[in-house]
Amino acid sequence: MNKLTLTIALMALLASIATFFYTQSKSELVYVDINKLVEGYRRTKVERDAFKKKANAMKANVDSLLSDWQNELKNYEKERASMTKKELELKQQLLQNKQQQINNYQQAIQKQIQEEDQKTTQTVINDINDYVKEYGEKEGYRIIFGAKGGGNIMYADEVSDLTQTILEGINAEYQGS
């Protein structure tokens, strides 16, 4: 009976030592560098490229309207000597109205570009946050800190940095691997 008790006690001791070392090898305090994740995530480049194309098309439309208005202004300058006072006033008013409309349109386009940029960035951030949450739950982490390059985490052992692991996983998931 003593041998059985001794054997069970030794097995329990070995199990608790193994558990201790397993839990010590996996840090409970881990973090990811958000800036590195955003920059290294392949979807970021895809989304940014699509955004740039859309923004450039909107800007080109504004540039075209401005060019047309400048041509009208040049024509007005050439023809104004032959216009009556009434025609001059009317043409000036038309040119001013068109300039104001173009300015309003340009401001609306700039606002839309800003909103699209924020939407694109938020889409990428949401993907990263969702992946980090899934990863944390799957790997049994109680908390994963997010560090931005500005110094939220002043120092951490490299073992605590999950950035590269998360980046490889989210890129593999994005590519459908």
Side-chain angles (χ1 to χ4, degrees):
M1 186 82 166
N2 276 343
K3 285 185 179 184
L4 181 61
T5 307
L6 182 61
T7 305
I8 292 173
L10 281 174
M11 288 175 48
L13 178 63
L14 288 175
S16 41
I17 289 172
T19 302
F20 173 78
F21 282 110
Y22 174 75
T23 58
Q24 293 304 311
S25 67
K26 186 175 182 179
S27 174
E28 287 191 27
L29 298 176
V30 294
Y31 75 98
V32 293
D33 184 320
I34 296 169
N35 293 339
K36 287 180 183 176
L37 287 179
V38 170
E39 292 306 312
Y41 183 28
R42 289 187 183 109
R43 184 173 183 183
T44 302
K45 183 179 178 346
V46 170
E47 293 290 335
R48 282 184 181 162
D49 289 346
F51 166 74
K52 284 179 185 175
K53 285 179 185 176
K54 195 172 188 178
N56 287 338
M58 288 186 231
K59 288 177 184 177
N61 193 12
V62 170
D63 291 344
S64 176
L65 292 172
L66 278 172
S67 179
D68 289 347
W69 179 81
Q70 289 170 344
N71 287 336
E72 278 187 55
L73 188 60
K74 287 177 187 175
N75 288 337
Y76 163 74
E77 292 294 329
K78 289 178 187 175
E79 298 171 356
R80 74 187 263 182
S82 64
M83 293 180 162
T84 66
K85 185 177 178 182
K86 189 78 170 164
E87 289 173 326
L88 282 173
E89 289 174 4
L90 183 60
K91 189 64 173 179
Q92 287 173 347
Q93 187 64 39
L94 287 172
L95 286 169
Q96 286 176 350
N97 288 344
K98 190 167 190 176
Q99 181 183 23
Q100 186 61 45
Q101 288 173 343
I102 291 170
N103 288 341
N104 291 343
Y105 181 69
Q106 188 174 25
Q107 288 172 356
I109 291 298
Q110 288 172 341
K111 182 179 178 186
Q112 186 177 356
I113 287 172
Q114 287 175 335
E115 289 171 357
E116 288 286 330
D117 187 29
Q118 289 172 349
K119 182 179 170 186
T120 298
T121 302
Q122 193 58 51
T123 298
V124 169
I125 296 293
N126 289 345
D127 272 9
I128 291 170
N129 287 342
D130 291 346
Y131 184 83
V132 168
K133 180 181 178 192
E134 287 176 24
Y135 181 86
E137 288 173 352
K138 184 177 98 179
E139 296 297 321
Y141 289 105
R142 290 187 0 210
I143 188 168
I144 298 177
F145 293 99
K148 295 183 182 178
N152 292 352
I153 295 176
M154 298 299 288
Y155 170 78
D157 190 305
E158 286 184 31
V159 174
S160 301
D161 186 356
L162 294 179
T163 304
Q164 193 59 37
T165 303
I166 296 289
L167 191 56
E168 289 168 3
I170 196 169
N171 280 330
E173 185 177 279
Y174 178 70
Q175 288 183 301
S177 299

